[in-house]
Amino acid sequence: MSDIDFTNFSSSRMLTVSKRVLRQITRDRRTFGMIIFMPLLIMLVFGIALSGEIKNIAIVVENQDTDTSEAAGIVIKNALDSDTRVSLKEGTYSSAINEIEDGKLSAAILIPADFTTNLQQKAAGGPDVTLEIRIYIDGTDPLIRANIMAALQDALSDALGDQGVQFDETLAHDGAEQSGLDVAIPAVMGFVLTFLVLLLSSLTMVRERIGGTQYRLYTTPLNKMELLSGYVLALTFFGFIEVVSILTISVFLFGATVAGNFTLLMLAAFMYAIVHVLLAVFLSNFAENELQAMQMVPIIALPSMALSGMLVPVDSLPVVAQNISNFVPLTYGIRLFEGIMLKGFDLGNLWLDFLKLGVFLLVFFVLSVLTVKDHNES
Amino acid sequence: MSIQEYIVETKNLVKHYNKGEVKAVNGLDLKVKRGEIYAFIGANGAGKTTALDMISGVLYPTSGTIIVDGLEIPRERKRMAHMIGVAPQDVSVYSDLTVKENIMFFADLYRLEKAQSNSRMKELLGVLKLEEKENELVRNLSGGMKRRVSIACALIHDPKLLLFDEATVGVDPVLRQWFWKYFKELSKKGTTLIITSHVMDEAEKADRIGLIRAGVLIEEGTPAELKEKYRVQTIEEVFLKLAGDEFINE
């Protein structure tokens, strides 16, 4: 700017502007409340969510090496049992494979019956003895896989020292093995959808209400359901465009894997978008202006990020946070996107998560219907 | 069934806010005849807009009854919607739509046939002198033009009752004159108009005037009757005699 002139700079005029802005913000009680409340809430949620390490990864350990009470297999299993990173479930190696393929378990470990015998032979200098443990593991989440392997290594080293145990590792989901980026994309997709759909929808709704045009609509034959459905349809259309663009960028630019059915993925993303359109329609009732509407978005999106398993697996969250995560739509969005994209799941594996997302859709729809207005209530 | 003489009748209409602390409308009895232009005048805050909002069904009354063309409002307000046209005080049209898109949006809400709405829109664009602005975004129009667009939206479905809240506020004298000429034409065709205003010389052009003060109708009659009764030359003087204190106290 050519007319910047510091010689005539008046600090009192500057303060006049500052005072006026501060007065306006503090007078908007909701905005002022959010300025105080938002950092508290977000730091609290993130603090709780990120306080724990990875823990309670569900695995099955089938130990066939039980000839004596001091068998190495028993020692290894006990060591794993006391490791908080993993949580040992009942079951056999072969039965666990199906559960891993269904996404209910992360790994199955088989310690063979001759493990101690082989160990003793090897210690005695036996020539062709291989010490082997079989592992069937879900390789679609590198973080979880690394933690299981680290827990196993620690258990082996505690029990045996360095004995050169080999792992016969089989990857679940037809050998699917993902990089950090692959694994991040479904969760990021869910988060971006949450953020953008909420932002666009709530701003549109508030602008519609404060623009004075809604008053006029009340005088026309347009009824509540027509009005609500009209909004939802239009906003869903934009949600759909966002779904398409996010998927296109993920797949074509970042080379994200879509191991499962692409149409099912579109359906999941579309349904997820509608849930957030309806949530925004409902929440917009509590915003008096566009600033307030904009502040609502991070209030929903950031805690969702912390509580949905996006940053750390839900099983590793504190119990309270785990319970709350059941009420976070992003939890199911991520499960669906990860399931379809990384694990190649179909409706057979995912129907329950679809159903839960459907429950959110229904609840937010009812809340929207109950709160949408067709006359001035003041 | 005989057609009632009055198209709008309110009886002891009340609207209170803040648990009765604010009495916006406080026992209003109003009777508007079919086909007349009824000017509803009063100072700012007298209760004109609140009363009009209740008649149009936008605002629910605290108590009292409203009958519009035999329909009980607000209970039957969606049945009434087809027969009323409302132009609110704020120019409530969509600024990021064109003139034509705004008018057609309302035509579609009334589910008019395409051909019917097209010809009606053309007629209104002509009457309201908006033909050349048909494809212009409303945000680019002057205040007077925006108001004409707002009136066109209220008229698209050819309603028999028009509720115009301060329809001519902010409009230059030439355009205001022209508006009133158009209102008279509508009235001649049988349309009833209720127009609120705080501009007194406008009220003189109405068939009848109702003067509202503190939410109550304090005087009613034709312009001539009122001037004669208070032995004054203008409606403004009538108004000042009746509501002057309130006006000054505001």
Side-chain angles (χ1 to χ4, degrees):
Chain A
M1 273 165 70
S2 58
D3 59 347
I4 293 177
D5 179 7
F6 284 106
T7 53
N8 286 325
F9 187 87
S10 155
S11 53
S12 82
R13 278 200 296 263
M14 176 195 77
L15 286 173
T16 306
V17 173
S18 296
K19 269 197 277 183
R20 197 259 304 156
V21 172
L22 283 174
R23 187 169 288 155
Q24 279 178 297
I25 292 177
T26 50
R27 196 158 286 166
D28 182 352
R29 281 189 191 170
R30 257 176 238 189
T31 296
F32 190 59
M34 278 196 244
I35 289 169
I36 309 284
F37 175 69
M38 198 149 66
L40 268 176
L41 174 83
I42 290 168
M43 290 308 292
L44 203 67
V45 171
F46 271 83
I48 292 170
L50 299 175
S51 63
E53 296 152 351
I54 298 285
K55 53 187 178 188
N56 297 330
I57 305 168
I59 64 168
V60 159
V61 177
E62 183 182 350
N63 177 29
Q64 295 173 346
D65 181 25
T66 54
D67 282 351
T68 66
S69 61
E70 283 157 18
I74 295 176
V75 180
I76 295 165
K77 190 172 177 178
N78 286 344
L80 280 170
D81 203 16
S82 59
D83 193 318
T84 55
R85 284 173 289 189
V86 291
S87 166
L88 268 51
K89 307 290 174 196
E90 292 294 320
T92 62
Y93 182 80
S94 53
S95 70
I97 287 175
N98 285 334
E99 292 194 60
I100 295 167
E101 291 295 343
D102 285 343
K104 290 172 189 154
L105 283 176
S106 293
I109 295 169
L110 178 68
I111 304 168
D114 55 3
F115 191 79
T116 303
T117 316
N118 287 343
L119 184 69
Q120 284 162 348
Q121 278 180 15
K122 192 169 183 181
D128 295 323
V129 181
T130 46
L131 276 177
E132 196 174 76
I133 287 179
R134 280 169 74 187
I135 305 166
Y136 198 92
I137 194 163
D138 180 354
T140 58
D141 189 331
L143 185 66
I144 287 184
R145 183 182 171 191
N147 272 277
I148 296 170
M149 294 312 287
L152 184 57
Q153 290 282 11
D154 289 351
L156 285 169
S157 126
D158 283 356
L160 318 169
D162 184 17
Q163 292 286 350
V165 176
Q166 290 179 9
F167 299 125
D168 173 13
E169 193 181 2
T170 310
L171 293 175
H173 310 302
D174 298 325
E177 189 177 12
Q178 264 89 30
S179 68
L181 181 69
D182 283 333
V183 176
I185 283 175
V188 170
M189 220 176 85
F191 179 73
V192 172
L193 261 181
T194 306
F195 202 90
L196 292 183
V197 173
L198 278 179
L199 189 69
L200 180 81
S201 305
S202 54
L203 278 179
T204 308
M205 289 303 293
V206 170
R207 198 175 68 151
E208 183 84 4
R209 210 176 53 240
I210 61 176
T213 43
Q214 215 165 35
Y215 168 97
R216 191 175 206 137
L217 296 181
Y218 297 158
T219 69
T220 71
L222 188 74
N223 67 36
K224 230 174 165 178
M225 280 305 291
E226 291 162 347
L227 184 65
L228 177 68
S229 315
Y231 287 141
V232 172
L233 196 66
L235 294 170
T236 302
F237 175 74
F238 287 112
F240 183 72
I241 291 176
E242 273 163 8
V243 167
V244 172
S245 61
I246 288 169
L247 281 177
T248 307
I249 292 167
S250 303
V251 174
F252 295 106
L253 192 64
F254 294 114
T257 320
V258 183
N261 187 308
F262 196 79
T263 314
L264 192 66
L265 179 63
M266 288 288 285
L267 180 75
F270 192 48
M271 192 166 163
Y272 187 74
I274 300 176
V275 167
H276 286 82
V277 164
L278 289 165
L279 177 61
V281 171
F282 169 63
L283 288 177
S284 68
N285 287 301
F286 305 100
E288 286 164 353
N289 53 49
E290 283 156 313
L291 186 62
Q292 289 179 1
M294 276 176 69
Q295 285 163 336
M296 282 180 174
V297 178
I299 278 199
I300 300 292
L302 294 180
S304 293
M305 184 194 223
L307 296 167
S308 60
M310 183 174 174
L311 301 175
V312 285
V314 172
D315 289 342
S316 300
L317 295 172
V319 181
V320 182
Q322 279 187 39
N323 290 334
I324 300 172
S325 81
N326 290 327
F327 299 96
V328 175
L330 187 57
T331 306
Y332 305 101
I334 290 178
R335 273 194 219 167
L336 288 171
F337 301 153
E338 280 185 353
I340 301 166
M341 292 173 81
L342 305 180
K343 296 171 184 166
F345 282 172
D346 56 21
L347 211 50
N349 310 92
L350 296 170
W351 66 271
L352 192 61
D353 291 319
F354 267 109
L355 187 71
K356 287 176 181 171
L357 208 52
V359 171
F360 277 108
L361 199 145
L362 194 69
V363 169
F364 293 151
F365 178 73
V366 171
L367 288 174
S368 304
V369 172
L370 292 177
T371 49
V372 76
K373 296 178 186 90
D374 64 353
H375 65 276
N376 279 357
E377 285 183 347
S378 57
Chain B
M1 198 177 83
S2 68
I3 298 174
Q4 302 97 327
E5 183 187 0
Y6 299 106
I7 191 163
V8 175
E9 274 190 79
T10 73
K11 208 175 237 177
N12 204 17
L13 191 59
V14 173
K15 182 68 188 178
H16 289 174
Y17 293 107
N18 292 346
K19 293 171 185 167
E21 275 178 39
V22 180
K23 297 175 169 70
V25 171
N26 202 18
L28 181 71
D29 293 314
L30 196 68
K31 286 182 173 182
V32 179
K33 290 177 191 161
R34 282 174 195 281
E36 74 173 342
I37 301 180
Y38 188 93
F40 202 31
I41 63 170
N44 291 327
K48 307 183 293 288
T49 301
T50 307
L52 214 62
D53 283 355
M54 286 192 282
I55 294 167
S56 66
V58 167
L59 194 63
Y60 288 7
T62 306
S63 62
T65 56
I66 307 164
I67 305 291
V68 177
D69 203 28
L71 299 173
E72 191 192 316
I73 308 304
R75 193 171 61 81
E76 294 178 284
R77 67 196 194 92
K78 287 296 167 191
R79 280 183 68 196
M80 170 187 75
H82 289 276
M83 68 170 99
I84 65 162
V86 179
Q89 191 169 349
D90 298 322
V91 183
S92 54
V93 284
Y94 298 94
S95 59
D96 33 16
L97 296 186
T98 65
V99 171
K100 187 178 167 181
E101 285 166 344
N102 264 290
I103 299 173
M104 290 311 268
F105 169 71
F106 284 96
D108 289 343
L109 288 185
Y110 292 101
R111 299 188 68 196
L112 303 184
E113 296 283 335
K114 253 307 154 281
Q116 188 192 357
S117 50
N118 269 322
S119 71
R120 178 79 179 144
M121 182 185 67
K122 287 230 152 26
E123 182 192 332
L124 287 170
L125 288 174
V127 172
L128 293 160
K129 298 187 173 35
L130 285 166
E131 297 120 314
E132 285 171 20
K133 301 289 177 187
E134 188 180 343
N135 295 312
E136 190 79 55
L137 285 179
V138 165
R139 77 158 81 98
N140 299 332
L141 302 180
S142 68
M145 279 185 193
K146 283 180 186 164
R147 207 160 275 283
R148 276 184 272 165
V149 178
S150 177
I151 287 176
C153 293
L155 289 167
I156 186 68
H157 56 297
D158 201 9
K160 54 176 150 178
L161 173 64
L162 287 168
L163 303 168
F164 287 169
D165 194 5
E166 307 272 8
T168 55
V169 162
V171 171
D172 64 69
V174 179
L175 185 60
R176 192 183 300 162
Q177 191 81 16
W178 178 86
F179 265 146
W180 275 95
K181 204 175 137 224
Y182 182 56
F183 295 161
K184 292 267 183 198
E185 279 172 30
L186 287 171
S187 165
K188 259 184 218 157
K189 287 180 193 161
T191 309
T192 310
L193 288 96
I194 302 180
I195 300 171
T196 71
S197 181
H198 62 269
V199 183
M200 300 308 135
D201 64 336
E202 286 204 329
E204 300 219 32
K205 299 181 181 95
D207 298 321
R208 280 198 311 140
I209 296 170
L211 213 150
I212 186 171
R213 181 183 178 174
V216 184
L217 195 68
I218 51 168
E219 189 57 276
E220 194 177 46
T222 65
E225 284 167 359
L226 292 178
K227 282 188 278 189
E228 195 183 320
K229 183 173 174 184
Y230 292 95
R231 299 176 187 284
V232 289
Q233 300 299 311
T234 64
I235 292 298
E236 188 160 353
E237 289 170 282
V238 176
F239 178 77
L240 286 171
K241 276 200 167 183
L242 288 166
D245 295 346
E246 183 193 22
F247 197 66
I248 289 158
N249 289 337
E250 275 195 357

